[in-house]
Amino acid sequence: MVVAQYKLTSFDIDMSDKIIPLDCDDVVLLGNDTFKASRLKELVDKQIRQRLHRCVYESNSLEPGISIFELFNLISLSEHHIKLREIQYKYVINCQVLRIGSQGWQKGKLNIEVCILSLDPNLNQIYLEFYPEEAIEYDPIFDDICKIIAEN
């Protein structure tokens, strides 16, 4: 399988064990706008599909153009043709996330990965992962405190 990858970021993420996959009900704050993770996935998918299906026209031809998706779907190298089965895009952006059961907003980076399948572009896959700036430390004493409060 041949994969094309395009990275739209000028900074790298520390790929440590701090990766948190976002749940559909987690809330993401991008600038002044908030989105449920499920809605953010829908909006990204819609934008990607709209842009990939735009047509590209040759300036010296009156022929109808091909879509951007079709343009990148087949790569010709001399006599060899490579048909891409999947194209991946990766976006990284600063954000804040409010996760179910958390104590509040947490700053970090949002990694949005889009996988476009050439066989059926309606089955695009979108993954949202959060990389917190600070590691979340779990202290088991909080469980004991919660039990004491619940008993009283």
Side-chain angles (χ1 to χ4, degrees):
M1 175 174 12
V2 178
V3 176
Q5 188 167 12
Y6 184 64
K7 190 172 181 180
L8 291 178
T9 179
S10 60
F11 51 88
D12 292 323
I13 293 178
D14 177 20
M15 300 300 274
S16 64
D17 58 346
K18 298 189 287 185
I19 301 169
I20 301 171
L22 293 184
D23 186 79
C24 292
D25 290 329
D26 292 333
V27 178
V28 179
L29 175 64
L30 299 173
N32 295 324
D33 299 312
T34 55
F35 305 92
K36 281 179 65 174
S38 58
R39 179 69 177 145
L40 183 59
K41 283 182 176 183
E42 289 173 16
L43 293 172
V44 168
D45 185 48
K46 181 180 177 182
Q47 288 280 318
I48 293 290
R49 271 197 272 134
Q50 285 176 349
R51 291 174 186 208
L52 286 176
H53 292 300
R54 288 184 182 162
C55 289
V56 178
Y57 296 92
E58 294 283 334
S59 60
N60 58 355
S61 171
L62 297 175
E63 295 293 320
I66 62 172
S67 72
I68 294 173
F69 183 76
E70 291 171 323
L71 184 66
F72 284 107
N73 194 27
L74 184 63
I75 305 295
S76 297
L77 304 169
S78 186
E79 296 177 8
H80 303 284
H81 301 287
I82 301 171
K83 183 160 177 67
L84 300 177
R85 295 182 186 180
E86 148 182 326
I87 301 172
Q88 293 182 352
Y89 295 90
K90 184 176 183 178
Y91 306 89
V92 179
I93 188 168
N94 289 322
C95 73
Q96 292 185 45
V97 169
L98 181 62
R99 299 188 65 232
I100 302 296
S102 69
Q103 298 295 323
W105 291 98
Q106 189 173 17
K107 291 183 180 182
K109 298 197 183 306
L110 178 65
N111 181 38
I112 304 171
E113 291 187 27
V114 180
C115 180
I116 298 156
L117 304 173
S118 65
L119 299 174
D120 188 353
N122 293 321
L123 298 177
N124 294 344
Q125 297 172 349
I126 299 172
Y127 305 99
L128 301 178
E129 296 175 328
F130 179 64
Y131 298 83
E133 285 182 0
E134 298 175 9
I136 302 170
E137 293 186 23
Y138 176 76
D139 192 344
I141 196 161
F142 290 122
D143 287 338
D144 296 336
I145 294 170
C146 289
K147 286 179 187 175
I148 292 170
I149 292 172
E151 290 173 0
N152 295 332

